[in-house]
């Protein structure tokens, strides 16, 4: 096998060990940050996997039970295996005031039987004097259906993997949480590593979301604070044939690998998941059998090496549970050779207000005559000065700019019209995406927010996205770390790229940022991985689908035109040499035409 090189994004970390360092109560930095908000009745913890969310909840729940007067805590997890994250923990050994204890009968994730019997256990728990219960989302949903929300008054409801919740009325768990919030007789702690959904549905409605106090611990803080992680590479490979064949072009059996095969209902699946796994195993070498202890497949390669492959796709409960148990076996926690490959299924700070405390502005320090770039190496916080950037006024808009930009950017870059236009429309004016489309996404997500605050949020989101893209473009192909000691390479390339870009443009302003296509870097990756003919074919399809203007788009264009008039004293014109000014004028003309048509219909 000759693995194919793939385009990749690479980030270097300082491996400081900070994210796992304990304070006097036995808390990591993320847990300490969450515990500081323990008095909030509605708390949303957004933190990466392995950052310690489960233990953070233990600290908070115990405080609510012993010091805030709540009767009981109910921990709700998406699947039974996650229930193990809430097993007993001797927290007092590390300085906390008490231990976390869950009587075995109240961890319903370990209980046999179906949800029907477990619902009776929930009733028995509610009637008992015991304090902690762990169950699945499904068991909790059925229990609320049967007993009603009032049965859970004066209790803590803690929901793990909170992105399983949706504001869509068809989402039962989301509907129940809405009822709990409306009644306002429980405390809720929500935890997630990704506060957005792949289907672009909102997790919570705007009014409900506004009730939550957020605690955010970024991926950057977590990864930078590991003791041994030095670098993270994310690669992309595009294919046009069967995935089971093309994946072999990039799979390197010399590296520890997790392979997630497509869901059987997806377009990419062959609909025979067992055969897909067998095909991958056969391609890796000569199958020797199944280890009777671990359940791992053993495969002999031509170079003499034996691969140990864990198959989590097989539905046979006995086989799957044996493999899963072997992967979690404590005795092999530090054994690098225990398994080689796992095959699974389904498994900017705003403003130009002077130097900010705790940020490094480079060798010359803060210079009030230029656009400055500052960074905090420990937290990954950036301060980038941009002329004309609107400041959010309301507390909610300030919170969104501080905590929710990642979710907004994710919704924007997953939006199908944005992707199609941004990548393949050769007539695209970037402001159609950066202003119109992103503006619409923000309006739908925050319908009660004032127009000025929505615009400030939009500007901050597009600035964060486009500055990241421009920094990467600046640093492409440059060796920035040759003379830098490993411990000082903390995101050196990104800092260099932003500072160099800001220096090059001299006058960094929001109008300039709005005219950058945010999908330009993605197109660069595509162009390396796809043939020119294939790119042109896709481009022709997308261009053929494009409509001139929709009613909603025309209204948004007209609003932008009013801003243009306030700034320049005139409306946009159709004969302007500026394509964006022409586009705004087209929006006005479209609405005028619709108005005339409506008047003619009324006169008839």
């Amino acid at each position: 096998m000759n693995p194919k090189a793939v385009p990749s994004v690479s980030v270097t970390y300082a491996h400081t060990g900070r994210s796992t360092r304990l304070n006097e109560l036995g808390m990591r930095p993320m847990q300490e940050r969450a515990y500081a908000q323990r008095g909030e009745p509605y708390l949303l913890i957004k933190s990466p996997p392995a950052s310690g969310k489960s233990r953070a909840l233990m600290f908070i729940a115990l405080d609510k039970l012993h010091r805030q007067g709540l009767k009981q805590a109910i921990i709700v997890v998406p699947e039974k295996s996650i229930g193990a994250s809430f097993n007993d923990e001797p927290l007092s050994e590390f300085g906390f005031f008490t231990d976390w204890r869950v009587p075995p009968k109240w961890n319903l994730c370990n209980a046999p039987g179906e949800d029907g019997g477990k619902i009776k256990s929930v009733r028995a728990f509610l009637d008992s004097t015991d304090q902690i219960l762990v169950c699945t989302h499904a068991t909790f949903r059925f229990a609320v259906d049967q007993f009603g929300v009032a049965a859970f008054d004066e209790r803590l409801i803690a929901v793990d993997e909170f992105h399983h919740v949706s504001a869509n009325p068809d989402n039962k768990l989301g509907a129940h949480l809405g009822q709990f919030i409306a009644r306002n007789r429980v405390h809720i702690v929500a935890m997630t590593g990704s506060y957005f959904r792949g289907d672009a549905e909102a997790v919570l409605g705007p009014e409900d979301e506004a009730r939550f106090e957020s605690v955010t611990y970024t991926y950057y803080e977590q990864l930078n604070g590991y003791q041994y992680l030095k670098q993270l590479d994310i690669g992309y490979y595009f294919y046009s044939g069967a995935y089971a064949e093309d994946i072999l072009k990039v799979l390197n059996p010399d590296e520890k690998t997790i392979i997630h095969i497509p869901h059987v209902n997806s377009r990419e699946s062959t609909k025979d998941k067992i055969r897909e796994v067998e095909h991958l195993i056969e391609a890796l070498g000569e199958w020797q059998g199944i280890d009777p202890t671990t359940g791992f497949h053993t495969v002999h390669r031509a170079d003499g090496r034996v691969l140990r492959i864990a198959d989590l796709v097989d539905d046979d409960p006995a086989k799957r549970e044996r493999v899963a148990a072997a992967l979690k076996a404590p005795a092999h926690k530090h054994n690098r050779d225990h398994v080689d490959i796992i095959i699974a299924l389904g498994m900017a700070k705003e403003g130009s207000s002077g130097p900010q405390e705790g940020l490094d502005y480079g060798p010359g320090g803060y210079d009030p005559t230029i656009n400055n770039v500052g960074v905090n190496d420990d937290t990954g916080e950036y301060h980038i000065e941009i002329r004309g950037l609107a400041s959010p006024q309301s507390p909610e808009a300030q919170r969104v700019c501080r905590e929710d930009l990642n979710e907004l950017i994710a919704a924007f870059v997953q939006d199908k019209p944005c992707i199609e236009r941004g990548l393949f429309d050769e007539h695209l004016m970037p402001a159609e995406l950066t202003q119109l489309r992103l503006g619409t996404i923000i309006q739908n997500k925050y319908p009660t927010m004032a127009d000025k605050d929505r615009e400030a949020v939009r500007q901050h989101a597009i600035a964060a996205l486009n500055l990241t893209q421009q920094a990467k473009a600046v640093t492409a192909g440059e060796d920035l770390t040759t003379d830098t000691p490993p411990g000082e390479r903390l995101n050196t390339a990104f800092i260099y790229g932003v500072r160099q870009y800001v220096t090059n443009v001299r006058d960094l302003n929001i109008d300039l940022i709005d005219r950058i296509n945010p999908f330009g870097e993605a197109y660069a990756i595509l162009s390396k991985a796809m043939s020119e003919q294939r790119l042109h074919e896709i481009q022709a399809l997308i261009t053929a689908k494009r409509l001139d203007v929709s009613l909603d788009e025309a209204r948004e264009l007209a609003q932008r035109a009013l801003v243009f008039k306030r700034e320049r004293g005139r409306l946009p014109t159709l004969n302007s040499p500026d394509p964006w000014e022409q586009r705004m004028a087209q929006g006005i003309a479209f609405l005028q035409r619709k108005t005339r048509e409506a008047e003619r219909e009324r006169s008839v």
Side-chain angles (χ1 to χ4, degrees), residues 263-536:
H263 191 278
V264 291
N265 293 326
S266 72
R267 184 174 60 182
E268 303 303 318
S269 174
T270 66
K271 313 306 177 187
D272 188 345
K273 62 183 182 180
I274 301 300
R275 180 57 195 146
E276 290 174 22
V277 173
E278 291 174 348
H279 172 72
L280 292 173
I281 292 175
E282 290 168 357
L284 289 168
E286 183 180 349
W287 185 75
Q288 299 295 301
I290 296 178
D291 184 287
T293 303
T294 63
F296 297 165
H297 293 269
T298 55
V299 173
H300 191 275
R301 291 184 57 199
D303 60 6
R305 184 182 170 206
V306 175
L307 295 177
R308 296 165 181 82
I309 303 174
D311 175 11
L312 292 175
V313 177
D314 196 314
D315 290 325
D316 186 312
K319 293 180 181 178
R320 187 184 178 92
E321 289 178 11
R322 180 172 50 169
V323 172
L327 289 173
K328 294 186 289 187
H332 295 285
K333 183 176 181 180
H334 300 292
N335 180 7
R336 180 176 175 80
D337 297 324
H338 182 52
V339 66
D340 299 294
I341 295 175
I342 299 173
I343 305 178
L345 172 65
M347 298 281 294
K349 208 171 181 183
E350 76 277 0
S352 299
S353 55
Q356 305 294 309
E357 184 178 352
L359 301 183
D360 175 15
Y361 289 90
Y366 185 88
D367 183 349
T369 65
I370 64 172
N371 293 317
N372 289 273
V373 178
V375 63
N376 183 314
D377 287 349
D378 291 330
T379 66
E381 180 182 25
Y382 294 94
H383 174 216
I384 303 171
E385 294 181 332
I386 302 171
R387 188 171 63 83
L389 187 69
S391 295
Q393 300 301 309
S394 68
E396 172 63 3
Q398 292 169 7
R399 183 197 67 78
V400 171
C401 287
R402 185 174 63 250
E403 299 171 358
D404 289 356
L405 291 188
N406 285 342
E407 286 77 21
L408 283 176
I409 292 171
F412 178 65
V413 299
Q414 292 180 81
D415 182 71
K416 186 177 179 182
C418 284
I419 297 170
E420 291 180 346
R421 298 286 309 285
L423 287 176
F424 300 111
D425 186 351
E426 61 183 358
H427 302 296
L428 172 74
M429 288 167 286
E432 294 183 63
L433 299 183
T434 61
Q435 293 191 16
L436 298 189
R437 192 63 193 170
L438 180 54
T440 299
I441 290 171
I442 293 171
Q443 183 172 12
N444 291 339
K445 185 170 179 60
Y446 305 108
T448 62
M449 187 179 287
D451 290 345
K452 288 185 177 180
D453 275 339
R454 278 204 298 264
E455 174 61 10
V457 168
R458 185 201 67 79
Q459 290 183 14
H460 282 73
I462 201 62
L465 174 58
N466 268 342
L467 281 176
T468 301
Q469 300 291 331
Q470 295 305 303
K472 186 177 186 302
V474 168
T475 59
E478 298 193 41
D479 182 5
L480 304 174
T481 59
T482 302
D483 300 319
T484 309
E488 299 176 9
R489 293 179 186 171
L490 170 60
N491 225 8
T492 303
F494 180 72
I495 295 295
Y496 171 87
V498 171
R499 284 184 172 142
Q500 192 64 36
Y501 176 70
V502 171
T503 301
N504 289 347
V505 299
R506 295 188 179 278
D507 183 15
L508 183 62
N509 59 76
I510 191 62
D511 290 337
L512 174 65
I513 290 172
D514 266 336
R515 296 182 183 229
I516 300 171
N517 182 356
F519 292 88
E521 183 64 25
Y523 185 85
I525 292 175
L526 274 177
S527 64
K528 295 177 183 177
M530 300 177 69
S531 68
E532 184 176 356
Q533 178 182 353
R534 183 62 173 161
L535 281 172
H536 285 316

Side-chain angles (χ1 to χ4, degrees), residues 549-563:
V549 67
S550 67
L551 182 59
D552 288 341
E553 186 181 16
R555 288 169 175 160
E556 180 65 22
L557 284 166
Q559 291 179 359
R560 296 286 169 186
L562 291 176
V563 175

Side-chain angles (χ1 to χ4, degrees), residues 208-280:
D208 289 341
E209 186 173 317
R211 303 282 294 274
F212 281 79
E213 181 69 26
S214 292
V215 174
T216 302
Y217 191 73
T218 66
Y219 277 82
Y220 178 83
E221 291 177 275
Q222 175 71 3
L223 297 175
N224 187 58
Y226 282 150
Q227 184 175 356
Y228 301 109
L229 178 66
K230 298 178 181 179
Q231 183 171 310
L232 177 66
D233 296 326
I234 303 174
Y236 306 84
Y237 173 63
F238 300 90
Y239 64 94
S240 56
Y243 95 87
E245 296 297 335
D246 275 30
I247 195 173
L248 298 172
K249 299 176 182 177
V250 293
L251 177 59
N252 185 350
D254 291 329
E255 297 177 344
K256 301 295 183 181
T257 305
I258 300 176
I259 303 172
H260 289 274
I261 70 171
H263 191 278
V264 291
N265 293 326
S266 72
R267 184 174 60 182
E268 303 303 318
S269 174
T270 66
K271 313 306 177 187
D272 188 345
K273 62 183 182 180
I274 301 300
R275 180 57 195 146
E276 290 174 22
V277 173
E278 291 174 348
H279 172 72
L280 292 173

